[in-house]
Every structure is written in structure tokens, then in C-alpha cells.
């Protein structure tokens, strides 16, 4: 078993780096880490892994990635926070090439199990129009009306996994991530998500003495946010199960963006006047994860309190900023 190779695409990214770290800690297989970015831009890189710089939108590069592989975790995608995905719909859609080619290469190389990282952006927009949103069940992805661009690509790629399993026998697992955050994530540059962006803005205000913070939208929009350790544990549970349907992987702790700012301000020991940018990208009005199925299958759900995860995230971003380090996309 120790000679078998597990492939992680998107390994230079936030979630991928944490997943590689976890797989290396288990020691159950060799780990091949794959990403398109130069190694200097990987969020985390590990000498114990086989690190390859490949473009997984190309079939020939996917074949290099899957050569001799036992398991594949496909986390590669061109994505970011709401500001990025609303301004780069075509780029997000082009990620369909990654999953299509990774599936084909995995099938050709007789990979035993395949994991695809989907997103809560697959859910129908009409079910997310109220800040007091009813938590989204897996079945709420249909009738389909996902986030334009990014959400459509994720939903289409989920179907590709399903049909490769039905038609060709490639065993596949799909998790729908809900707003993952934590240390080693992107925190500036335009691809960062709300928790990291709020941490950065509060730290900037504290360090600069400019005691104001800009919030996108009116702050009443709601989300749930999942800490990275819960995400990686959930991936492990889903991947090593017989569950064939896509599953929500997210916290059920629903908060408004205003409350998210409250928590970060408490961590920082400040209170900042708020400027609301109503013209900024806001996404859906409310989104939360219904965890009925994941609890049914595993007697588990993501449970790290937001305040705890944010404290760790804030401390890490603060260290990056005072050390003059830049964020990695």
C-alpha cells in the first residue's frame, strides 16, 4: 500500500495544500502534488511529496498526473471569492476542461477512486434570495439555476463524475464545499473570500490607524463558513465511503456579514465605523448548509465554531501582514 500513488490536483492552493499535508501525515501512500502555479506561489509545498507543475486543462498533462495513480483528488479550478467569480465567468467555466480531462486520464490509467471538489454555488439562486435562508439540501441543486459561470461549471462537472461512474465504473465522490477558510488561504489580491478579506481589512485599519472598514453590500447577507480542518476531515470521510451522491460539506452556523465583522473586531480588540459599498459584488442573499445527509452517513458534521476558526485565521494573516509577506492566489 505504501507504494501506491495518490494524486492531488490544485495542491498549490489553499485546500489542496492542507489535504496534501494530511495525506502525508497518514503515510498510507505516496503523494503526487500537482498545480499549474510556479512552486514559489504554492500556498504550501512539501519535500515529502512528488511536486509537479502541470496544466490540468490539458489532457496530456493530466495523463502525466495520473500515471500509475491509485487515487485522485481533483481540487484544481480557476476560482476565488465573489469579486473574482462575478468578473471572470468565462475563466471559471473553462475549468470544465480540468475535470473532463482528469476523469478521462483517470479512467485510462485505471484509477480506483476519484474525488471532485464541487461548491455550494451549484444551488439554485431562487432558493437563496432571503437572508433568513432555509438551509440548502442536496436536492436543491435542481431544477438547475446555479451561480452564473462558476456554479454552472461545478454542476456540469458533478454530472460528468456521475456518468463516468455509471458508464465506465470509475468510482467517484463529490463534496459541495461551503465557504472554506483558515490559515494558508488567500487573503488579498482579489481572490480572497469574506473571512480572510474581513480579517485583512480589520488588521489594516488597526495597523494604519485608519479606523474605518468597507463592507460589500449592506452587511445583512448571510453565509456559513467552514474551517479548513473540518473540510479536510470531511473530504476523508466522503472519499473513503460508498456514498455516490454529492454531499454538502459545510458548517450550519449561519451568520450575517455584519456579525462576521463583529467577531473579527472582537478578536482584534477594536470597533470600526462601517462604510457599506452597495455596488460591490454580493452574491446570493443567504446561503447555509443542510447537514442532514452527512450526519446520516457519518454521524459527523463540521463543528469548529466560527469564532475559534477566525481567531486562528486572524493570527496567521496578521503575521503575514506584519512580516511583509504577500498573499498567494
Amino acid at each position: 500500500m505504501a507504494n501506491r500513488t495518490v494524486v492531488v490536483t490544485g495542491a498549490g492552493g489553499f485546500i489542496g495544500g492542507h489535504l496534501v499535508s494530511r495525506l502525508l501525515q497518514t503515510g498510507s501512500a505516496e503523494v503526487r502534488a500537482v498545480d499549474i502555479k510556479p512552486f514559489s506561489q504554492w500556498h504550501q509545498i512539501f519535500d515529502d511529496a512528488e511536486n509537479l507543475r502541470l496544466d490540468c486543462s490539458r489532457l496530456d498533462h493530466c495523463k502525466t498526473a495520473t500515471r500509475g495513480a491509485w487515487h485522485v483528488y481533483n481540487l484544481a479550478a480557476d476560482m476565488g471569492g465573489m469579486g473574482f467569480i462575478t468578473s471572470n465567468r468565462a475563466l471559471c467555466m473553462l475549468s470544465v476542461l480540468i475535470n473532463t480531462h482528469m476523469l478521462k486520464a483517470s479512467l485510462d490509467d485505471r484509477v480506483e477512486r476519484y474525488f471532485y471538489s464541487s461548491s455550494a454555488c451549484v444551488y439554485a439562486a431562487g432558493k437563496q434570495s432571503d437572508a433568513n435562508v432555509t438551509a440548502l439540501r442536496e436536492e436543491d441543486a435542481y431544477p438547475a439555476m446555479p451561480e452564473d459561470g462558476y456554479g454552472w461549471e461545478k454542476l456540469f462537472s458533478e454530472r460528468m463524475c456521475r456518468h463516468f461512474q455509471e458508464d465506465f465504473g470509475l468510482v467517484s465522490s463529490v463534496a459541495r464545499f461551503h465557504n472554506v477558510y483558515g490559515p494558508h488561504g488567500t487573503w488579498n489580491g482579489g481572490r480572497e473570500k469574506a473571512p480572510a478579506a474581513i480579517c485583512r481589512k480589520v488588521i489594516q485599519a488597526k495597523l494604519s490607524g485608519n479606523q474605518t472598514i468597507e463592507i460589500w453590500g449592506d452587511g445583512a447577507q448571510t453565509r456559513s463558513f467552514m474551517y479548513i480542518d473540518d473540510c479536510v476531515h470531511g473530504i476523508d470521510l466522503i472519499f473513503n465511503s460508498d456514498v455516490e451522491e454529492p454531499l454538502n460539506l459545510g458548517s450550519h452556523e449561519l451568520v450575517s456579514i455584519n456579525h462576521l465583522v463583529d467577531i473579527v473586531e472582537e478578536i482584534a480588540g477594536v470597533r470600526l465605523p462601517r462604510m457599506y459599498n452597495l455596488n460591490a459584488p454580493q452574491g446570493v442573499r443567504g446561503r447555509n448548509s443542510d447537514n442532514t445527509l452527512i450526519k446520516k452517513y457519518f454521524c459527523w458534521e463540521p463543528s469548529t465554531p466560527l469564532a475559534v476558526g477566525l481567531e486562528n485565521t486572524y493570527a496567521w494573516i496578521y503575521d503575514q501582514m506584519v512580516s511583509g509577506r504577500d498573499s498567494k492566489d
Side-chain angles (χ1 to χ4, degrees), residues 4 18 43 101 106 150 154 172 182 192 223 225 234 291 328:
R4 295 183 177 180
H18 282 275
H43 290 227
H101 290 152
S106 296
Y150 180 70
K154 289 296 185 183
S172 300
E192 68 276 15
R223 295 291 187 276
F225 300 98
N291 289 343
K328 297 177 180 179

Side-chain angles (χ1 to χ4, degrees), residues 122-262:
V122 302
Y123 286 113
K127 294 182 180 292
Q128 304 171 80
S129 59
D130 191 329
N132 297 312
V133 64
T134 299
L136 295 160
R137 300 168 298 175
E138 285 80 359
E139 63 196 65
D140 290 330
Y142 297 94
M145 188 50 67
E147 185 78 42
D148 199 9
Y150 180 70
W152 277 110
E153 185 276 320
K154 289 296 185 183
L155 194 60
F156 177 84
S157 292
E158 285 188 8
R159 303 293 289 194
M160 287 288 287
C161 292
R162 171 179 168 177
H163 298 315
F164 265 69
Q165 176 153 326
E166 292 172 340
D167 294 358
F168 306 126
L170 177 57
V171 178
S172 300
S173 303
V174 175
R176 292 173 178 164
F177 295 165
H178 286 248
N179 297 308
V180 188
Y181 73 99
H184 297 286
T186 302
W187 51 269
N188 70 357
R191 292 182 185 254
E192 68 276 15
K193 296 187 177 181
I198 296 301
C199 287
R200 184 198 74 239
K201 290 178 181 181
V202 171
I203 294 167
Q204 284 176 332
K206 187 172 182 178
L207 294 177
S208 69
N210 179 16
Q211 299 293 302
T212 60
I213 183 171
E214 181 188 72
I215 298 173
W216 287 9
D218 62 7
Q221 63 270 37
T222 56
R223 295 291 187 276
S224 64
F225 300 98
M226 174 174 54
Y227 191 58
I228 183 61
D229 290 357
D230 286 336
C231 179
V232 173
H233 183 64
I235 291 171
D236 182 64
L237 290 175
I238 293 169
F239 184 82
N240 291 294
S241 74
D242 295 326
V243 179
E244 296 182 359
E245 60 194 304
L247 289 180
N248 279 334
L249 184 51
S251 169
H252 71 273
E253 184 183 355
L254 185 69
V255 296
S256 68
I257 298 302
N258 276 327
H259 187 51
L260 173 64
V261 177
D262 290 340

Side-chain angles (χ1 to χ4, degrees), residues 1-9 11 19-20 22-24 26-34 48-52 65-75 102 111-115 235-236 239-240:
M1 192 171 183
N3 292 325
R4 295 183 177 180
T5 298
V6 173
V7 176
V8 178
T9 67
L19 179 58
V20 169
R22 177 70 64 87
L23 291 169
L24 288 170
T26 67
S28 61
E30 301 294 328
V31 179
R32 181 177 297 152
V34 175
D48 292 343
E50 178 190 2
N51 300 303
L52 300 179
T66 61
R67 186 174 298 125
W70 175 41
H71 291 162
V72 168
Y73 296 83
N74 181 20
L75 279 67
M102 282 301 300
V111 166
E112 290 187 15
R113 298 189 71 92
Y114 184 93
F115 175 86
I235 291 171
D236 182 64
F239 184 82
N240 291 294

